[in-house]
Amino acid sequence: MSLEVRINHRLGGFALAAEFSTGGRVTALFGPSGAGKSSIVRAVAGLLRPDEGRIAVDGAVLVDTAAHLFVRAEQRRVAVVFQDARLFPHMSVQQNLLFGWRRSSAKADASTIARVVDLLALGGLLHRSPRRLSGGEKSRVALGRALLSSPAMLLLDEPLAALDAARRNEILPYLETLARQTQLPMLYVSHSVEEVARLADSVVVIDNGRIRAQGSVFDLLTDVDQIAGVPPLGAVIEATVAEHRGDGLTRLSFDGGSLFVRRLAQAAGGRLRVRLRAEDIMLACEEPRAISANNVLTSMVDAIRRHGDDVDVQLRCGGTRLVARITHASQERLGLEPGRAVFAIVKSVTVER
Amino acid sequence: MTDFLTSAEAEALRLSLLVSGTAVLCALPLAFLVALGLARTRFAGKAVVDGIVHLPLVLPPVAVGYLLLVVFGARGSIGAWLDLHLGIRLVFSWTGAALASALITFPLQVRAIRLSLEGGDEALGEAARTLGAGRLDRLFNITVPLALPGILSGILTAFAASLGEFGAIITFVSNIPGETQTLPLAIYAALQAPGGEVEAARLCALSVILALVVMTAGEAARRAAARP
């Protein structure tokens, strides 16, 4: 799948001038509130007609102002999961789920309906009214409704932003399953690093109506200059469960070494993502011997970026990028410079999925 | 019914229901379109259109009846044409009474429907578009069902108001028993006749009962429609 977007659009005093293309299956559109993320989603969905620009999904041109081409939203096969779910209140959950399905030309068969209902655990809700659903249930129904319309692409416009932390953790696993199991290309809008780290393959960073950076999730989240300063900074690593050891730890292997974490439920051979926050990494120039941390990774300093009294030290550990945030004073004392070999002491590892 | 009512009373009741029902149902599609236009679009001169739509509400009904006579009367521009080409005569006919009622109660329908459309969420229409629903599809499956309580309330209010219409009807189509004499006109006729007070009181009681039935039924229908 490929998504090409070029938009120049003026909304009141706000100017959106964004151009990016992505081939990733799950692309995160990432940036602070008011950056223009939702406008891009609306333009791709056909709900906003850009002043100037071109939008194509898989080579099919949806908007080309130069050619006076604008495919209407209802003919695009681009489904949207809105932040506020937008379920139809006068229909049952089942009628909501089938709304797009009935209108889709590439109609999914009955087994697909059963699979989506199963995947999102909607079986018990089918005859309920949307008015009687919790926030998390509404999100799941909205997701199911979008999936069943057999879209060529799925846009998720901050689907978790309106939920509290507990509900968010209820929905995230469904989104992860979706991201892993289906081949449906997705554009996931978020201002949360956690969500992006868990779900996305590639990231497009937007700030104040401009694209700031784009690239793989593994590279981009280690560079504070590129993610527009949105905290918390940290590396995302894809790892394989190598072995469950007798001492209560699970060893994960990744391109650059091994990580030891508290025993995990996943079977050996399973793949997962872990995140190492910049604040959770200490640096040492000599190999620390007697130390409580389970993880010490041999790395090389790649680049150093200064932010006031702090510095972000970007590291390369095998083929993996890491980032550590230390004080400028520590950097001076250790004499850290690009090319220098260091030991990264990892204080904690967050297993994302 | 005939046990309780004289044939003249039954005839007035029948005409009232016929005239009001025809007036409200015939005006409904146009009232819905006007309400949709006023609620969903922005155009220059919208305030003028809004004002014209509400004019029958503030004009004296007698003036409306007179204007109808000028336009739809036997020598009126449209009236003469209708008579000549289609053989339709509105003057002195119950259809003329229905037209007068429809015109007077039109703004009541538009207001109620417009309010419910403005309360209705345009965001839902956007969601429907991304799921493949075209313009008419959205109108019939999203907009109308969501506006149903407002539509019912508009029908009810207009019907109830139409039952009481007097000035426009008597001016436009006169007071003809069995043709244009609805309940209010029958009450007026009874009061004009010597010793007609008892008859007027009976007709008055009938009007009260009818109004209560309409209001109660309408409210029940509106609640049922508002329930998910």
Side-chain angles (χ1 to χ4, degrees), chain B residues 40-57:
Chain B
R40 293 279 168 86
T41 59
R42 258 185 274 169
F43 55 91
K46 184 170 164 179
V48 177
V49 173
D50 204 18
I52 292 172
V53 167
H54 282 87
L55 209 53
L57 206 59

Side-chain angles (χ1 to χ4, degrees), chain A residues 121-144:
Chain A
L122 297 172
L125 307 176
L126 292 178
H127 301 290
R128 298 255 288 275
S129 157
R131 289 180 225 253
R132 294 177 203 284
L133 298 181
S134 72
E137 289 168 339
K138 280 181 189 162
S139 298
R140 270 149 56 200
V141 176
L143 193 55

Side-chain angles (χ1 to χ4, degrees), chain B residues 189-216:
Chain B
L191 285 172
Q192 296 296 302
E197 282 85 357
V198 176
E199 183 56 33
R202 282 175 58 88
L203 288 164
C204 212
L206 187 58
S207 295
V208 170
I209 293 167
L210 184 60
L212 287 177
V213 168
V214 170
M215 300 280 272
T216 314

Side-chain angles (χ1 to χ4, degrees), chain A residues 308-322:
Chain A
D309 289 336
D310 288 334
V311 290
D312 290 334
V313 182
Q314 291 173 327
L315 307 165
R316 195 156 280 285
C317 176
T320 302
R321 293 184 70 168
L322 304 175

Side-chain angles (χ1 to χ4, degrees), chain A residues 51-107:
Chain A
D51 296 337
E52 195 276 323
R54 185 176 184 281
I55 297 172
V57 172
D58 265 339
V61 182
L62 300 177
V63 178
D64 189 350
T65 49
H68 300 286
L69 178 81
F70 183 85
V71 179
R72 290 215 298 265
E74 50 265 41
Q75 285 156 358
R76 285 195 184 189
R77 297 187 59 219
V78 173
V80 186
V81 177
F82 296 94
Q83 190 185 118
D84 47 354
R86 301 196 184 178
L87 302 180
F88 305 124
H90 59 297
M91 299 180 190
S92 68
V93 166
Q94 179 166 317
Q95 288 170 314
N96 267 282
L97 286 173
L98 296 182
F99 188 91
W101 180 79
R102 287 187 212 283
R103 288 158 177 80
S104 153
S105 48
K107 207 167 267 174

